Amino acid sequence: MTFVLDFIEIYARGLFYLWPIFAVLVGIVLEDREVRAHYEAIDAAISTPIFVYNNPSLTGVDMKPPLLAEISRLRNVAYLKESSPEPSRIRKVARATEGRLRIFAGRDDSA
């Protein structure tokens, strides 16, 4: 893990982070507090911008607007790619995060 963190700090301009896909494959259901704690640990470990990727159909983890609002307060979280199947989700996340995130549409039907 130290090698990965050193590599990020030296070479990366940011971290594009997709929740581990294996969670959905093995049926892991995570609570918001667990997802938040995970992002808090990543945020504390690096100093580069974090690009959160919410893709519930791929990962089985759906980060809803209130959770994303909490995550957006972390020091390094700066961007979000929103790929939930709910077309109005981007607008809801934008309101909840109060401009703290630059949000990108991850689905053609939400762009």
Side-chain angles (χ1 to χ4, degrees):
M1 186 64 169
T2 302
F3 172 77
V4 172
L5 295 176
D6 289 345
F7 181 86
I8 290 170
E9 291 298 320
I10 295 168
Y11 298 106
R13 290 188 182 172
L15 175 66
F16 187 87
Y17 188 77
L18 173 66
W19 194 262
I21 295 170
F22 70 82
V24 73
L25 297 176
V26 296
I28 295 174
V29 177
L30 298 168
E31 296 180 18
D32 285 357
R33 65 179 173 74
E34 295 169 305
V35 175
R36 185 177 53 254
H38 187 73
Y39 276 96
E40 288 169 349
I42 294 168
D43 185 69
I46 64 174
S47 62
T48 56
I50 299 170
F51 199 131
V52 176
Y53 186 7
N54 186 32
N55 191 331
S57 61
L58 181 63
T59 64
V61 175
D62 187 6
M63 295 180 279
K64 296 204 162 75
L67 175 58
L68 287 167
E70 292 178 29
I71 291 170
S72 75
R73 290 183 179 90
L74 296 174
R75 176 181 45 123
N76 297 308
V77 173
Y79 307 98
L80 169 69
K81 182 175 180 181
E82 178 58 61
S83 296
S84 74
E86 183 184 336
S88 63
R89 179 73 67 94
I90 289 176
R91 186 174 58 252
K92 291 175 183 176
V93 171
R95 260 191 242 127
T97 58
E98 301 173 334
R100 289 185 296 273
L101 294 178
R102 186 156 183 208
I103 303 171
F104 298 85
R107 294 174 59 102
D108 290 340
D109 58 358
S110 63

